Amino acid sequence: MARAVLALSIAAALAACAPRALAPPPAVTGVPSSTGYLACQQGLSGSGAMFEALVPLATREGCGFAEGVKITATPSPLNQPAVLSCPTALALTRFDLEVVQPAALQHFGKRVVKIHHVGGYTCRGINGGRKWSQHAFGNAIDVIGFDLADGTRITVGRDWRAGGAPARFLHDIARGACQVFRVVLTPAYDKAHQDHFHLDLGPERLCGI
Ligand SMILES: [Zn+2]
């Protein structure tokens, strides 16, 4: 099936998400760089984000992060807490304030009041490949939808190709996400991203919109 073919492609391997036995990843530094971590937390607080700082995490497999947070609002409430590296949480906050809210006002005349995601930190490799997913270091989050102030829900899976204001909103914010994150993967990128935006702050650079 097409999915199996895609899983083999190098392009798809950049982003998709399934557990695998992998070679050891780069070591995670266990000691936070206090100034950077502190500045990042101050940035989050200053943006109105709700979060708690986490102790460094380093799993036996090699996943983890030195400077992580559990974030619950960016400042839009998240549907569930997200564990992310602090810079990724800060990027998500910028995405909310500088990209999502202006686009929601432009396209709907309403604010987004909730952001739905299906995962930040997860100890896993990239689908079908030997590389670690940026999720394994807390550098990635998969966003699936947005609730507007009037209760309307916009979802990547249903609305990306549906046309009208919801589709224009999603395409606009995907473009804007590329200014905030280093890797942005959307339904336009491959079959593995038909229902979510993969937003990451890892070392790659790819605007898959
Ligand atoms: Zn992802």
Side-chain angles (χ1 to χ4, degrees), residues 28-30 54-58 63-69 83-85 121 136-139:
V28 174
T29 308
L54 300 176
V55 296
L57 174 68
C63 299
F65 43 79
E67 302 176 343
V69 297
V83 171
L84 296 169
S85 67
Y121 168 75
F137 311 113
N139 291 334

Side-chain angles (χ1 to χ4, degrees), residues 79-165:
N79 65 315
Q80 57 182 329
V83 171
L84 296 169
S85 67
C86 193
T88 305
L90 194 56
L92 190 64
T93 298
R94 279 189 59 202
F95 176 60
D96 182 6
L97 293 173
E98 299 173 20
V99 177
V100 172
Q101 297 300 349
L105 288 173
Q106 180 193 334
H107 290 287
F108 307 113
K110 295 175 181 61
R111 293 181 57 79
V112 161
V113 296
K114 186 175 283 188
I115 297 175
H116 294 260
H117 77 93
V118 290
Y121 168 75
T122 319
C123 188
R124 67 188 180 197
I126 292 170
N127 190 27
R130 291 175 157 275
K131 286 179 66 176
W132 285 91
S133 164
Q134 286 301 313
H135 287 283
F137 311 113
N139 291 334
I141 185 164
D142 294 331
V143 172
I144 59 168
F146 306 86
D147 287 349
L148 301 179
D150 65 355
T152 305
R153 181 164 297 176
I154 311 294
T155 68
V156 176
R158 184 190 58 210
D159 295 314
W160 177 263
R161 300 185 200 281

Side-chain angles (χ1 to χ4, degrees), residues 15-17 119-120 124 133 135 140-142 185 193 196-200:
C17 315
R124 67 188 180 197
S133 164
H135 287 283
I141 185 164
D142 294 331
L185 303 177
H193 296 86
H196 68 277
F197 291 164
H198 169 96
L199 309 174
D200 95 44

